[in-house]
Amino acid sequence: MATTAERMRLVVVGAGPAGLAATLAAAARGVHVTLVDAGPEAGGQFYRQPATALGARRARALHHQWHTWERLRDGLDGHRTAGRVAHLTDHHVWCVERRSAGFTVHALRGPAQEEPAAVRADAVLLATGGYEVVLPFPGWTLPGVVTAGGAQAMLKGGLVLPGRTAVVAGTGPLLLPVADGLAAAGARVTALVESADPKALARRPAALAAQPGKLAEGAGYAVRLLRHRTRLLARHTVVEAHGTDRLEAVTVAALDASGRVRPGSARRLTCDALAVGHGMLPHTDLADTLGCALDGQRVRVDDEQRTDVPGVWAAGEATGIGGAALALAEGHIAGRSIAARLHGREPDPTAWSAAARSRTRLRAFFTAVDAVYAPDARWPDRVPDDTVACRCEEVTAGEVRAAVRELGAGDPRTVKLLTRAGMGWCQGRMCGPAVAGLAGCELTSARRPFARPVPLGVLAAGFEDPTEEGP
């Protein structure tokens, strides 16, 4: 590791809670940090802010952890002013190159994502966040159907509602703040349709007792939704979305204990917006390109948040979905660990003992949450053959099933080769979980040479640094 001030350079990829916490912890201990993020402002999805030009007067009303954001924002501004941190916005990282002396982080900058940039580093922290899972159903491609996180981003970043009358559906804790935010902003949220049974959390008392604040937060959302006269439909699912040019209504139905639709339970709800999500998965593309080991779908890390690749740390949703508080704890631990090791010292774990205790409790809590809010195993049975599963290539559920039944496909990669599912712009990031579920096989990590599409001109120029940025 580096031992001189000139060589103590850290690149943090991602300016959400984990990336910000790591940046502040490392910069406060003498490390020069370059914070690289695809967004126009720091904060990530969780702390997403309206554009300044919108003139929002009560942006804090869109957040329930505003004071934490203010602390992170002010800390970042202070380190930037002092020259300890460079914050590169609108930089989309597509590759982290390992070199004999450290790393080079390659990015495409600007809205068009065509101008190359590079940053050298002695250590890299991957705080790349997570992405939503959306499972297909008839009508899910209609205009007016958005992801739950997409609806939240529209509201937080653009002060825009996806519609005037909304249904929020799917599974997972994210649905509650999304429904609450839409209702508070003036939308009529007619129903929150949750396929899981939240009461099942009561069977995991130890994890719940360690996080009473999370329970109170969830209860607060539920109370506010009842005040807005939003129906909470547990153990229900959206069977179909209806409309011609855009969404007009959805049909929802109750599920029995095995995940089958209860006969006679279907009801039609009029709406012009459907915000739907089925949980989240970690973003591991950059970790894959570096060869970091994974545990299932998440980056494997040790107690210091180190990956098995020397010089590479990971924190936040990339190491497992767990919300902002867990991301902050992991980012703080990673930042302190990086600072110590770049100074040539063995880290002292007692220095982050409070963050480590919080990390342990939150991981246990979200392990229990994941078990309760996992999509029901029978969801593929409700998807007709003519339903589009891969939107980029317009591959239907029937084509995926035929690849398995008639052509012998037994894994997502083979299904992709036989049907083109996952060969479009998103490279399977959106349809991957759905295709794997319809094929009846396990979702596996697809190792790609690059983390995002790259213009041929950038590749033709080679990997020599085009323009180096940083403090």
Side-chain angles (χ1 to χ4, degrees):
M1 284 295 178
T3 57
T4 65
E6 290 75 16
R7 292 191 61 217
M8 290 190 297
R9 298 177 299 181
L10 166 66
V11 170
V12 175
V13 182
L20 289 171
T23 296
L24 269 56
R29 289 158 183 83
V31 176
H32 290 285
V33 183
T34 302
L35 179 61
V36 184
D37 190 62
E41 303 285 346
Q45 168 72 351
F46 189 79
Y47 295 120
R48 183 185 292 269
Q49 305 294 309
T52 304
L54 294 175
R57 289 175 294 180
R58 297 181 63 248
R60 65 188 304 154
L62 301 172
H63 299 269
H64 67 281
Q65 292 185 8
W66 185 259
H67 292 304
T68 301
W69 159 246
E70 288 181 320
R71 177 178 60 81
L72 294 169
R73 179 197 62 200
D74 294 346
L76 178 63
D77 289 344
H79 287 303
R80 289 174 60 192
T81 301
R84 291 184 289 268
V85 173
H87 180 201
L88 307 182
T89 60
D90 284 318
H91 279 59
H92 306 259
V93 177
W94 59 273
C95 178
V96 178
E97 181 187 4
R98 297 172 66 184
R99 295 190 170 187
S100 57
F103 303 86
T104 299
V105 178
H106 295 274
L108 300 170
R109 59 185 172 191
Q113 300 182 38
E114 293 183 352
E115 186 178 353
V119 186
R120 294 188 186 276
D122 301 295
V124 174
L125 171 70
L126 303 177
T128 47
Y131 65 97
E132 280 189 278
V133 176
V134 179
L135 303 176
F137 51 88
W140 75 295
T141 60
L142 280 169
V145 180
V146 299
T147 66
Q152 191 176 57
M154 291 171 66
L155 183 58
K156 286 184 176 181
L159 305 180
V160 175
L161 291 170
R164 301 305 305 176
T165 304
V167 171
V168 177
T171 188
L174 177 62
L175 302 186
L176 282 168
V178 170
D180 179 55
L182 293 177
R188 179 171 173 258
V189 182
T190 58
L192 191 159
V193 183
E194 169 62 68
S195 64
D197 183 2
K199 293 194 297 294
L201 280 172
R203 294 194 288 270
R204 293 166 171 80
L208 299 185
Q211 291 296 319
K214 290 290 183 184
L215 295 180
E217 182 182 326
Y221 285 132
V223 168
R224 288 193 294 273
L225 287 172
L226 288 174
R227 289 174 181 165
H228 286 292
R229 298 185 178 180
T230 298
R231 284 172 286 182
L232 304 177
L233 302 177
R235 294 298 296 161
H236 280 68
T237 190
V238 171
V239 175
E240 185 174 359
H242 309 280
T244 50
D245 296 329
R246 65 165 292 112
L247 180 69
E248 298 171 3
V250 297
T251 294
V252 303
L255 301 174
D256 63 19
S258 67
R260 295 187 178 89
V261 171
R262 291 186 182 276
S265 66
R267 68 179 83 175
R268 189 178 175 111
L269 304 177
T270 300
C271 60
D272 60 1
L274 170 63
V276 61
H278 298 91
M280 295 183 67
L281 287 174
H283 261 308
T284 61
D285 289 350
L286 284 175
D288 278 340
T289 66
L290 281 162
C292 299
L294 304 181
D295 283 332
Q297 296 296 315
R298 63 191 181 199
V299 182
R300 181 189 301 166
V301 293
D302 65 9
D303 288 344
E304 294 181 36
Q305 300 296 137
R306 293 181 298 175
T307 73
D308 63 334
V309 175
V312 179
W313 280 252
E317 310 283 43
T319 67
I321 304 302
L326 178 55
L328 289 169
E330 291 186 354
H332 180 77
I333 292 169
R336 296 190 70 136
S337 167
I338 292 167
R341 293 195 176 276
L342 287 179
H343 279 291
R345 298 194 303 266
E346 190 70 21
D348 177 11
T350 61
W352 59 71
S353 57
R357 288 192 296 272
S358 177
R359 178 180 62 183
T360 298
R361 291 193 297 266
L362 285 163
R363 283 179 176 174
F365 175 79
F366 280 100
T367 296
V369 168
D370 288 346
V372 170
Y373 286 101
D376 70 274
R378 290 191 174 275
W379 72 262
D381 299 343
R382 301 191 293 270
V383 182
D385 280 347
D386 61 353
T387 302
V388 170
C390 169
R391 299 179 70 161
C392 295
E393 296 295 322
E394 297 185 346
V395 179
T396 66
E399 291 174 283
V400 173
R401 290 170 175 140
V404 175
R405 183 178 61 251
E406 300 170 15
L407 302 177
D411 60 83
R413 183 176 183 275
T414 305
V415 173
K416 177 179 180 178
L417 293 173
L418 293 173
T419 67
R420 296 191 58 82
M423 287 192 181
W425 179 259
C426 84
Q427 284 293 288
R429 292 170 180 84
M430 289 296 295
C431 67
V435 170
L438 291 167
C441 52
E442 183 180 355
L443 178 64
T444 55
S445 176
R447 290 210 161 179
R448 307 177 180 91
F450 311 128
R452 62 174 55 249
V454 185
L456 288 176
V458 173
L459 296 180
F463 274 78
E464 291 303 315
D465 298 346
T467 302
E468 186 170 353
E469 303 182 71

